[in-house]
mmCIF file of all heavy atoms in Angstrom:
data_model
loop_
_atom_site.group_PDB
_atom_site.id
_atom_site.type_symbol
_atom_site.label_atom_id
_atom_site.label_comp_id
_atom_site.label_asym_id
_atom_site.label_seq_id
_atom_site.Cartn_x
_atom_site.Cartn_y
_atom_site.Cartn_z
ATOM 1 N N VAL A 27 -158.790 58.828 2.804
ATOM 2 C CA VAL A 27 -157.453 58.686 3.362
ATOM 3 C C VAL A 27 -156.864 57.384 2.842
ATOM 4 O O VAL A 27 -157.575 56.382 2.720
ATOM 5 C CB VAL A 27 -157.488 58.688 4.900
ATOM 6 C CG1 VAL A 27 -156.111 58.360 5.468
ATOM 7 C CG2 VAL A 27 -157.949 60.039 5.413
ATOM 8 N N TYR A 28 -155.572 57.407 2.555
ATOM 9 C CA TYR A 28 -154.908 56.238 2.007
ATOM 10 C C TYR A 28 -153.843 55.681 2.942
ATOM 11 O O TYR A 28 -153.310 56.386 3.793
ATOM 12 C CB TYR A 28 -154.230 56.585 0.678
ATOM 13 C CG TYR A 28 -155.156 57.151 -0.368
ATOM 14 C CD1 TYR A 28 -155.108 58.499 -0.704
ATOM 15 C CD2 TYR A 28 -156.076 56.336 -1.023
ATOM 16 C CE1 TYR A 28 -155.947 59.028 -1.664
ATOM 17 C CE2 TYR A 28 -156.925 56.858 -1.979
ATOM 18 C CZ TYR A 28 -156.857 58.200 -2.301
ATOM 19 O OH TYR A 28 -157.700 58.712 -3.257
ATOM 20 N N LEU A 29 -153.546 54.423 2.752
ATOM 21 C CA LEU A 29 -152.414 53.804 3.421
ATOM 22 C C LEU A 29 -151.635 53.072 2.342
ATOM 23 O O LEU A 29 -152.066 52.020 1.856
ATOM 24 C CB LEU A 29 -152.851 52.823 4.510
ATOM 25 C CG LEU A 29 -151.697 52.173 5.283
ATOM 26 C CD1 LEU A 29 -150.955 53.230 6.110
ATOM 27 C CD2 LEU A 29 -152.197 51.060 6.190
ATOM 28 N N GLN A 30 -150.514 53.652 1.943
ATOM 29 C CA GLN A 30 -149.641 53.015 0.970
ATOM 30 C C GLN A 30 -148.754 52.034 1.713
ATOM 31 O O GLN A 30 -148.044 52.420 2.640
ATOM 32 C CB GLN A 30 -148.785 54.062 0.251
ATOM 33 C CG GLN A 30 -147.799 53.482 -0.753
ATOM 34 C CD GLN A 30 -148.477 52.802 -1.916
ATOM 35 O OE1 GLN A 30 -149.365 53.378 -2.541
ATOM 36 N NE2 GLN A 30 -148.084 51.567 -2.212
ATOM 37 N N MET A 31 -148.795 50.786 1.303
ATOM 38 C CA MET A 31 -148.056 49.726 1.965
ATOM 39 C C MET A 31 -147.041 49.133 0.999
ATOM 40 O O MET A 31 -147.408 48.547 -0.015
ATOM 41 C CB MET A 31 -149.019 48.638 2.450
ATOM 42 C CG MET A 31 -150.182 49.186 3.273
ATOM 43 S SD MET A 31 -151.564 48.014 3.421
ATOM 44 C CE MET A 31 -150.828 46.760 4.468
ATOM 45 N N ASN A 32 -145.773 49.302 1.323
ATOM 46 C CA ASN A 32 -144.698 48.813 0.469
ATOM 47 C C ASN A 32 -143.867 47.757 1.184
ATOM 48 O O ASN A 32 -143.877 47.661 2.407
ATOM 49 C CB ASN A 32 -143.781 49.967 0.046
ATOM 50 C CG ASN A 32 -144.505 51.058 -0.703
ATOM 51 O OD1 ASN A 32 -145.305 50.783 -1.596
ATOM 52 N ND2 ASN A 32 -144.224 52.310 -0.355
ATOM 53 N N SER A 33 -143.126 46.990 0.402
ATOM 54 C CA SER A 33 -142.256 45.948 0.946
ATOM 55 C C SER A 33 -142.994 45.092 1.965
ATOM 56 O O SER A 33 -142.515 44.859 3.077
ATOM 57 C CB SER A 33 -141.014 46.586 1.585
ATOM 58 O OG SER A 33 -140.295 47.357 0.645
ATOM 59 N N LEU A 34 -144.145 44.629 1.571
ATOM 60 C CA LEU A 34 -145.001 43.875 2.484
ATOM 61 C C LEU A 34 -144.360 42.578 2.951
ATOM 62 O O LEU A 34 -143.666 41.901 2.194
ATOM 63 C CB LEU A 34 -146.339 43.592 1.823
ATOM 64 C CG LEU A 34 -147.273 44.803 1.751
ATOM 65 C CD1 LEU A 34 -148.390 44.561 0.744
ATOM 66 C CD2 LEU A 34 -147.859 45.096 3.133
ATOM 67 N N LYS A 35 -144.626 42.256 4.202
ATOM 68 C CA LYS A 35 -144.118 41.049 4.835
ATOM 69 C C LYS A 35 -145.288 40.184 5.282
ATOM 70 O O LYS A 35 -146.383 40.691 5.507
ATOM 71 C CB LYS A 35 -143.271 41.403 6.060
ATOM 72 C CG LYS A 35 -142.132 42.361 5.804
ATOM 73 C CD LYS A 35 -141.449 42.740 7.113
ATOM 74 C CE LYS A 35 -140.313 43.713 6.879
ATOM 75 N NZ LYS A 35 -139.661 44.106 8.162
ATOM 76 N N PRO A 36 -145.080 38.889 5.433
ATOM 77 C CA PRO A 36 -146.163 38.030 5.927
ATOM 78 C C PRO A 36 -146.733 38.516 7.260
ATOM 79 O O PRO A 36 -147.930 38.342 7.512
ATOM 80 C CB PRO A 36 -145.477 36.667 6.074
ATOM 81 C CG PRO A 36 -144.433 36.678 5.012
ATOM 82 C CD PRO A 36 -143.900 38.091 5.041
ATOM 83 N N GLU A 37 -145.896 39.122 8.083
ATOM 84 C CA GLU A 37 -146.337 39.647 9.368
ATOM 85 C C GLU A 37 -147.336 40.793 9.232
ATOM 86 O O GLU A 37 -147.988 41.154 10.214
ATOM 87 C CB GLU A 37 -145.135 40.132 10.192
ATOM 88 C CG GLU A 37 -144.059 39.078 10.393
ATOM 89 C CD GLU A 37 -143.007 39.121 9.316
ATOM 90 O OE1 GLU A 37 -142.045 39.901 9.457
ATOM 91 O OE2 GLU A 37 -143.149 38.368 8.326
ATOM 92 N N ASP A 38 -147.441 41.371 8.041
ATOM 93 C CA ASP A 38 -148.385 42.455 7.803
ATOM 94 C C ASP A 38 -149.798 41.933 7.559
ATOM 95 O O ASP A 38 -150.739 42.722 7.460
ATOM 96 C CB ASP A 38 -147.956 43.296 6.602
ATOM 97 C CG ASP A 38 -146.651 44.036 6.845
ATOM 98 O OD1 ASP A 38 -146.450 44.541 7.971
ATOM 99 O OD2 ASP A 38 -145.833 44.111 5.904
ATOM 100 N N THR A 39 -149.942 40.646 7.448
ATOM 101 C CA THR A 39 -151.247 40.032 7.207
ATOM 102 C C THR A 39 -152.218 40.364 8.331
ATOM 103 O O THR A 39 -151.857 40.336 9.514
ATOM 104 C CB THR A 39 -151.110 38.509 7.083
ATOM 105 O OG1 THR A 39 -150.380 38.194 5.897
ATOM 106 C CG2 THR A 39 -152.474 37.836 7.012
ATOM 107 N N GLY A 40 -153.439 40.677 7.962
ATOM 108 C CA GLY A 40 -154.453 40.968 8.951
ATOM 109 C C GLY A 40 -155.603 41.758 8.356
ATOM 110 O O GLY A 40 -155.620 42.051 7.171
ATOM 111 N N VAL A 41 -156.548 42.081 9.204
ATOM 112 C CA VAL A 41 -157.661 42.917 8.791
ATOM 113 C C VAL A 41 -157.323 44.347 9.171
ATOM 114 O O VAL A 41 -157.004 44.625 10.328
ATOM 115 C CB VAL A 41 -158.981 42.491 9.467
ATOM 116 C CG1 VAL A 41 -160.117 43.413 9.034
ATOM 117 C CG2 VAL A 41 -159.308 41.044 9.125
ATOM 118 N N TYR A 42 -157.392 45.227 8.205
ATOM 119 C CA TYR A 42 -157.074 46.629 8.433
ATOM 120 C C TYR A 42 -158.355 47.443 8.558
ATOM 121 O O TYR A 42 -159.225 47.394 7.694
ATOM 122 C CB TYR A 42 -156.215 47.166 7.284
ATOM 123 C CG TYR A 42 -154.787 46.695 7.347
ATOM 124 C CD1 TYR A 42 -154.466 45.370 7.057
ATOM 125 C CD2 TYR A 42 -153.758 47.567 7.705
ATOM 126 C CE1 TYR A 42 -153.159 44.918 7.138
ATOM 127 C CE2 TYR A 42 -152.445 47.123 7.784
ATOM 128 C CZ TYR A 42 -152.149 45.797 7.501
ATOM 129 O OH TYR A 42 -150.847 45.355 7.571
ATOM 130 N N TYR A 43 -158.436 48.188 9.648
ATOM 131 C CA TYR A 43 -159.607 48.999 9.942
ATOM 132 C C TYR A 43 -159.270 50.481 9.916
ATOM 133 O O TYR A 43 -158.182 50.885 10.337
ATOM 134 C CB TYR A 43 -160.166 48.680 11.327
ATOM 135 C CG TYR A 43 -160.641 47.259 11.513
ATOM 136 C CD1 TYR A 43 -159.780 46.267 11.948
ATOM 137 C CD2 TYR A 43 -161.970 46.920 11.266
ATOM 138 C CE1 TYR A 43 -160.215 44.963 12.136
ATOM 139 C CE2 TYR A 43 -162.416 45.623 11.453
ATOM 140 C CZ TYR A 43 -161.533 44.652 11.889
ATOM 141 O OH TYR A 43 -161.971 43.369 12.074
ATOM 142 N N CYS A 44 -160.209 51.263 9.463
ATOM 143 C CA CYS A 44 -160.088 52.706 9.466
ATOM 144 C C CYS A 44 -160.940 53.265 10.598
ATOM 145 O O CYS A 44 -162.098 52.873 10.764
ATOM 146 C CB CYS A 44 -160.558 53.262 8.121
ATOM 147 S SG CYS A 44 -160.493 55.057 7.978
ATOM 148 N N ASN A 45 -160.357 54.146 11.387
ATOM 149 C CA ASN A 45 -161.077 54.830 12.454
ATOM 150 C C ASN A 45 -160.866 56.320 12.258
ATOM 151 O O ASN A 45 -159.731 56.765 12.107
ATOM 152 C CB ASN A 45 -160.551 54.396 13.822
ATOM 153 C CG ASN A 45 -161.212 55.147 14.961
ATOM 154 O OD1 ASN A 45 -160.771 56.231 15.337
ATOM 155 N ND2 ASN A 45 -162.269 54.569 15.508
ATOM 156 N N ALA A 46 -161.951 57.092 12.267
ATOM 157 C CA ALA A 46 -161.806 58.504 11.952
ATOM 158 C C ALA A 46 -162.747 59.418 12.699
ATOM 159 O O ALA A 46 -163.834 59.020 13.126
ATOM 160 C CB ALA A 46 -161.996 58.713 10.446
ATOM 161 N N ASP A 47 -162.300 60.661 12.831
ATOM 162 C CA ASP A 47 -163.147 61.752 13.279
ATOM 163 C C ASP A 47 -163.579 62.456 12.000
ATOM 164 O O ASP A 47 -162.747 62.754 11.141
ATOM 165 C CB ASP A 47 -162.384 62.727 14.168
ATOM 166 C CG ASP A 47 -161.992 62.114 15.494
ATOM 167 O OD1 ASP A 47 -162.656 61.151 15.928
ATOM 168 O OD2 ASP A 47 -161.017 62.600 16.105
ATOM 169 N N LEU A 48 -164.868 62.730 11.888
ATOM 170 C CA LEU A 48 -165.411 63.304 10.673
ATOM 171 C C LEU A 48 -166.007 64.685 10.901
ATOM 172 O O LEU A 48 -166.668 64.925 11.905
ATOM 173 C CB LEU A 48 -166.494 62.386 10.093
ATOM 174 C CG LEU A 48 -166.104 60.926 9.891
ATOM 175 C CD1 LEU A 48 -167.319 60.113 9.462
ATOM 176 C CD2 LEU A 48 -164.999 60.824 8.843
ATOM 177 N N ILE A 49 -165.763 65.571 9.946
ATOM 178 C CA ILE A 49 -166.357 66.898 9.976
ATOM 179 C C ILE A 49 -167.617 66.834 9.132
ATOM 180 O O ILE A 49 -167.551 66.627 7.920
ATOM 181 C CB ILE A 49 -165.394 67.960 9.421
ATOM 182 C CG1 ILE A 49 -164.120 68.008 10.262
ATOM 183 C CG2 ILE A 49 -166.075 69.331 9.407
ATOM 184 C CD1 ILE A 49 -163.064 68.943 9.730
ATOM 185 N N GLY A 50 -168.755 67.006 9.771
ATOM 186 C CA GLY A 50 -170.017 66.889 9.067
ATOM 187 C C GLY A 50 -170.549 68.195 8.524
ATOM 188 O O GLY A 50 -170.010 69.275 8.784
ATOM 189 N N LEU A 51 -171.603 68.074 7.771
ATOM 190 C CA LEU A 51 -172.284 69.234 7.223
ATOM 191 C C LEU A 51 -173.272 69.784 8.246
ATOM 192 O O LEU A 51 -173.720 69.075 9.143
ATOM 193 C CB LEU A 51 -173.039 68.852 5.944
ATOM 194 C CG LEU A 51 -172.198 68.344 4.775
ATOM 195 C CD1 LEU A 51 -173.102 67.866 3.659
ATOM 196 C CD2 LEU A 51 -171.257 69.427 4.283
ATOM 197 N N GLY A 52 -173.592 71.036 8.110
ATOM 198 C CA GLY A 52 -174.568 71.646 8.999
ATOM 199 C C GLY A 52 -174.161 71.709 10.462
ATOM 200 O O GLY A 52 -175.025 71.731 11.340
ATOM 201 N N GLY A 53 -172.857 71.725 10.722
ATOM 202 C CA GLY A 53 -172.371 71.843 12.086
ATOM 203 C C GLY A 53 -172.278 70.544 12.865
ATOM 204 O O GLY A 53 -171.953 70.563 14.056
ATOM 205 N N PHE A 54 -172.563 69.430 12.218
ATOM 206 C CA PHE A 54 -172.475 68.132 12.884
ATOM 207 C C PHE A 54 -171.095 67.507 12.704
ATOM 208 O O PHE A 54 -170.545 67.513 11.605
ATOM 209 C CB PHE A 54 -173.544 67.181 12.341
ATOM 210 C CG PHE A 54 -174.948 67.619 12.617
ATOM 211 C CD1 PHE A 54 -175.712 68.188 11.613
ATOM 212 C CD2 PHE A 54 -175.504 67.460 13.877
ATOM 213 C CE1 PHE A 54 -177.016 68.598 11.866
ATOM 214 C CE2 PHE A 54 -176.810 67.863 14.144
ATOM 215 C CZ PHE A 54 -177.562 68.438 13.130
ATOM 216 N N ASN A 55 -170.557 66.961 13.783
ATOM 217 C CA ASN A 55 -169.281 66.259 13.735
ATOM 218 C C ASN A 55 -169.462 64.861 14.316
ATOM 219 O O ASN A 55 -170.326 64.625 15.160
ATOM 220 C CB ASN A 55 -168.212 67.012 14.519
ATOM 221 C CG ASN A 55 -167.859 68.339 13.887
ATOM 222 O OD1 ASN A 55 -167.715 68.439 12.672
ATOM 223 N ND2 ASN A 55 -167.709 69.366 14.706
ATOM 224 N N TYR A 56 -168.611 63.951 13.857
ATOM 225 C CA TYR A 56 -168.693 62.570 14.297
ATOM 226 C C TYR A 56 -167.307 62.093 14.693
ATOM 227 O O TYR A 56 -166.329 62.356 14.002
ATOM 228 C CB TYR A 56 -169.259 61.684 13.188
ATOM 229 C CG TYR A 56 -170.584 62.172 12.659
ATOM 230 C CD1 TYR A 56 -170.636 63.111 11.635
ATOM 231 C CD2 TYR A 56 -171.782 61.701 13.197
ATOM 232 C CE1 TYR A 56 -171.857 63.576 11.158
ATOM 233 C CE2 TYR A 56 -172.998 62.163 12.722
ATOM 234 C CZ TYR A 56 -173.033 63.096 11.707
ATOM 235 O OH TYR A 56 -174.242 63.552 11.244
ATOM 236 N N THR A 57 -167.234 61.388 15.805
ATOM 237 C CA THR A 57 -165.947 60.915 16.288
ATOM 238 C C THR A 57 -165.911 59.394 16.408
ATOM 239 O O THR A 57 -166.932 58.742 16.609
ATOM 240 C CB THR A 57 -165.618 61.521 17.659
ATOM 241 O OG1 THR A 57 -166.630 61.159 18.608
ATOM 242 C CG2 THR A 57 -165.542 63.036 17.565
ATOM 243 N N ASP A 58 -164.707 58.868 16.288
ATOM 244 C CA ASP A 58 -164.453 57.438 16.473
ATOM 245 C C ASP A 58 -165.350 56.522 15.641
ATOM 246 O O ASP A 58 -165.906 55.550 16.146
ATOM 247 C CB ASP A 58 -164.570 57.069 17.946
ATOM 248 C CG ASP A 58 -163.474 57.671 18.794
ATOM 249 O OD1 ASP A 58 -162.324 57.767 18.297
ATOM 250 O OD2 ASP A 58 -163.748 58.052 19.945
ATOM 251 N N TYR A 59 -165.478 56.853 14.379
ATOM 252 C CA TYR A 59 -166.207 55.996 13.459
ATOM 253 C C TYR A 59 -165.291 54.912 12.922
ATOM 254 O O TYR A 59 -164.151 55.187 12.525
ATOM 255 C CB TYR A 59 -166.779 56.815 12.302
ATOM 256 C CG TYR A 59 -168.252 57.107 12.438
ATOM 257 C CD1 TYR A 59 -168.713 57.983 13.409
ATOM 258 C CD2 TYR A 59 -169.173 56.491 11.592
ATOM 259 C CE1 TYR A 59 -170.065 58.241 13.537
ATOM 260 C CE2 TYR A 59 -170.535 56.754 11.715
ATOM 261 C CZ TYR A 59 -170.966 57.630 12.692
ATOM 262 O OH TYR A 59 -172.308 57.893 12.821
ATOM 263 N N TRP A 60 -165.786 53.690 12.920
ATOM 264 C CA TRP A 60 -165.030 52.543 12.429
ATOM 265 C C TRP A 60 -165.605 52.010 11.125
ATOM 266 O O TRP A 60 -166.820 51.938 10.957
ATOM 267 C CB TRP A 60 -165.042 51.398 13.440
ATOM 268 C CG TRP A 60 -164.223 51.634 14.662
ATOM 269 C CD1 TRP A 60 -164.654 52.150 15.851
ATOM 270 C CD2 TRP A 60 -162.830 51.343 14.825
ATOM 271 N NE1 TRP A 60 -163.621 52.200 16.751
ATOM 272 C CE2 TRP A 60 -162.488 51.708 16.153
ATOM 273 C CE3 TRP A 60 -161.850 50.809 13.990
ATOM 274 C CZ2 TRP A 60 -161.192 51.555 16.656
ATOM 275 C CZ3 TRP A 60 -160.562 50.661 14.488
ATOM 276 C CH2 TRP A 60 -160.249 51.035 15.811
ATOM 277 N N GLY A 61 -164.719 51.618 10.235
ATOM 278 C CA GLY A 61 -165.135 50.932 9.034
ATOM 279 C C GLY A 61 -165.235 49.451 9.345
ATOM 280 O O GLY A 61 -164.939 49.014 10.462
ATOM 281 N N GLN A 62 -165.639 48.661 8.372
ATOM 282 C CA GLN A 62 -165.807 47.227 8.577
ATOM 283 C C GLN A 62 -164.529 46.427 8.357
ATOM 284 O O GLN A 62 -164.482 45.244 8.666
ATOM 285 C CB GLN A 62 -166.911 46.690 7.659
ATOM 286 C CG GLN A 62 -168.296 47.211 8.015
ATOM 287 C CD GLN A 62 -168.689 46.861 9.424
ATOM 288 O OE1 GLN A 62 -168.702 45.673 9.797
ATOM 289 N NE2 GLN A 62 -169.013 47.860 10.230
ATOM 290 N N GLY A 63 -163.511 47.067 7.839
ATOM 291 C CA GLY A 63 -162.233 46.417 7.648
ATOM 292 C C GLY A 63 -162.045 45.827 6.261
ATOM 293 O O GLY A 63 -163.006 45.525 5.562
ATOM 294 N N THR A 64 -160.796 45.668 5.890
ATOM 295 C CA THR A 64 -160.450 45.049 4.619
ATOM 296 C C THR A 64 -159.292 44.084 4.856
ATOM 297 O O THR A 64 -158.342 44.406 5.560
ATOM 298 C CB THR A 64 -160.086 46.114 3.558
ATOM 299 O OG1 THR A 64 -159.837 45.479 2.298
ATOM 300 C CG2 THR A 64 -158.860 46.923 3.963
#
């Protein structure tokens, strides 16, 4: 998944985290997974 960020402002500064529900293989699903941020 992407986040295209245009016309950036200083107020946009911060750590951006991804949180997702994932469809797994073999019938397994995962919810509310967090990345480490960028």
